[in-house]
Amino acid sequence: MKHVISVSMGPSAQDYSLKTKFLGKDFTVTRQGADGDEDRAWDLLRRAQSHADAVGLGLIRDYCDVGTRRFVDKDKLLKVVTRVPATTGAHLRRMLQLRAVRHVHKTLGSYFNNSRVLFMSGSVNYDIAVEMSHYTPNLSFADALLQTGTPTMLSSLAQLELFATGSTMANGIWATRKLGAVLPRLAKIKQRLLAQEMAKSHVIVGAIEDIRSFAGDGNLKGKTLLSSAIDEQSLAWLKAQEANLAIDICPQPFKQVVDVDVIEAMILAATELEPQELSDETRAGIIDELELTAQLLHPTGHFRNVRRFAFIIHPLSQQAIRKGLPLLPKSTPKRLMDQVEKAAAMLPPMEYCKMTNIISPTGAEAEGWLIAVGGTPKEMLARSPEFTYRRLLAAADKAQKMGAQIIGLGAFTKVVGDAGMTVAQRANLPVTTGNSYSASGALWAAADAMRRMGLVETPKGGRVQAKAMVIGATGSIGSVSARLLAMTFDEVYLGGRDQDKLKALKASILEETPEAKVVAAADYEGHLAEMDMIVTTTSGAGKKVLDITRVKPGCVITDVARPLDLPPEECAKRPDVLVIESGEIELPSKVRGMRDIALPENIVYACLAETIVLALEGRFEAFTVGRDTEWRKVKEIYKLGLKHGMKLAPIAGVNGVYTDEDIARVVELARERRKTWKSG
């Protein structure tokens, strides 16, 4: 029978003796804690080598690699054992750390993407830091704070490498505790700063005892911890702290929780190799043979995989700016408001609110930030596209630092310039304009409105015997709306300013749907009286795009534009026409933290809903950018929305939600007016 003894600088209260089978051999494994006493550890190690086949050294470091340099620990305890193989488990630990990070990231679906990751010691966990840097730039290291008392966090691998090279202070948590005992005030500063960092982080990497020393109360709620040898006592503490996920990088093939040094010592004893003879290839082969993987532990019993998004909003008018600045009196002269509007466009991006508790029926969760930039459409159009790009990129940088994994463009930001292409290319986060769901929501709402009006038959199969028009048809939302309408309506008219572009769009639609009837009409005003449905998708920033007095009674107009193409005073001219504001989306759960966005509670614009759906699905990609929105993506995001519990919000106009009585009144007026309309 093989005998392995692990001598740890940790508490003796965690000692154990274990009999097991490993690599075909019988083992007795014994742990002996020294309670932080180096002299006792020396004596335990000296005794252990006389009757053990291999010795593990727990919580003792022999070296760490940081950057291109190896830092060797000259701890005298490393020299005690000379008769049998001894190991700190450093080589195996490095291998298991990398495997654990990759396993979790893949298994849980890009889990670490743009997470805020705090390392209690970047030097000890340098390999994890390098691996994490492939998924997120948001890394912070407590090395300087814990080792020298400097009240700052290192924020990059370059800073960590520079600190490790230049530091002359003792490494390790034991030296830190001694320094903290000498300088009580310094210990309080460390406690406060580290607790704050933990509260801001999504993932915390370090030994459980170190995390416990500085966590405080409530700072681990919802967090992910990456550590080693997480026993029942530690798991109970993490449950009390409401931690979300604990990742034990050390596989636990035995009934007793062991640390990495124990497993590597058992490998040495079983193979009868010296530490320098045990290659990484052999270690990897044994790990694969035994199918050893990291442990994913759920302290509270319920794992929450919360994905994070950000969405950019902006004021649509001076009125919206005044609403956001309550100190400005309503009587502020327009000349002064013009200056305020110009100044607002120059402001840096600001967090407007944080939305939480967005829960899909699938169990997926999302949370995110609305980030405001100050430019109105008028200001964006008055300046170069680069002006707006830079403000959007500044907002994207802010979102990245906050931990967002995808960012959406809202209102006018999704159409200015090249409809998100430049921002998507230059931002460090995947960007979506939300135009796919905007098109889906608009047609969804229009179809629902026509069904409720009952003036046009909507057969279960075949084409709708009606005419539809898309104004702004060559734009991103307009073109895909036209493509989809051409698949279902008897005739579709393409309205716009450029006849050549309209003809090109018509030809493209007929390639996809040869049987469709499509009319390219730059002079679309003359056809308004024939339309049963009109979708306006222009980016005219409030300019008049149609004469509503010429529209057919009972027509359904879906206004997707922001600002609206049809202001309230225009809609009031035709009470026999149903004008709805695009198609908003009702979220699947009661959202917390949402501030006013000029919509009813729990209702969001479809472009924001697209960003949320992609986050819930874990699809961190540039889903919709540019002006050529794909109709297949419109259908895909519609299906994904249904999967995650999204519903069409009650259709609404400029005066709020339409009731059945409101729609019945429009239908009654439309039927009455059609009597004279037909006769001219």
Side-chain angles (χ1 to χ4, degrees), residues 12-13 40 64 70 117 149 151 166 171 204 239 245 264 288 310 393 455 468 532 557 606 608 618 656:
S12 58
R40 176 175 171 157
C64 61
R70 172 164 290 184
V117 185
N171 251 340
I204 302 167
K239 178 180 180 180
L245 175 65
E264 180 143 304
D288 293 338
L393 290 168
L455 296 175
D532 299 287
I557 302 177
L608 170 54

Side-chain angles (χ1 to χ4, degrees), residues 410-436:
F412 205 73
T413 64
K414 64 183 179 179
V415 295
V416 71
D418 54 10
M421 291 288 289
T422 296
V423 177
Q425 290 167 358
R426 290 163 59 178
N428 292 321
L429 287 177
V431 173
T432 188
T433 62
N435 282 339
S436 291

